[in-house]
Amino acid sequence: PNLVQGRLQWPETTEPPQLAVAINGFIRATTLARPGTDQWRRFSVMVPEKVYEPAGNVIEIFAAAGSGSGTTLSKVALVAEE
């Protein structure tokens, strides 16, 4: 498996979001963002190697809200590590 990790900006006053990780347009894993300091949240998740293409993979992170058929996904902007 491959590790996908990062950090995102999320309001400190709300619960850390449930995240969905899409590889090449398909949701391949979900995880919860961990609480952090101030507005920063970190996440990490293992994704099976078999879902990756030999080259040109696109990884996207979405915040998931709701459940079942009422689940909505909103693309999350990630912050570059310093």
Side-chain angles (χ1 to χ4, degrees):
N2 290 303
L3 177 65
V4 175
Q5 63 183 357
R7 76 179 178 155
L8 55 114
Q9 196 168 12
W10 200 262
E12 182 180 13
T13 57
T14 62
E15 291 293 316
Q18 174 78 30
L19 300 174
V21 179
I23 309 292
N24 299 321
F26 294 94
I27 301 299
R28 300 298 189 174
T30 60
T31 188
L32 279 174
R34 296 184 306 276
T37 58
D38 300 326
Q39 75 275 16
W40 301 107
R41 304 285 189 246
R42 293 191 178 279
F43 70 92
S44 59
V45 65
M46 299 300 286
V47 177
E49 270 186 56
K50 66 182 180 181
V51 304
Y52 291 95
E53 297 294 327
N57 293 285
V58 176
I59 300 173
E60 298 173 290
I61 310 297
F62 297 89
S67 62
S69 62
T71 302
T72 59
L73 299 176
S74 303
K75 193 168 182 179
V76 172
L78 301 178
V79 178
E81 292 289 335
E82 297 177 2

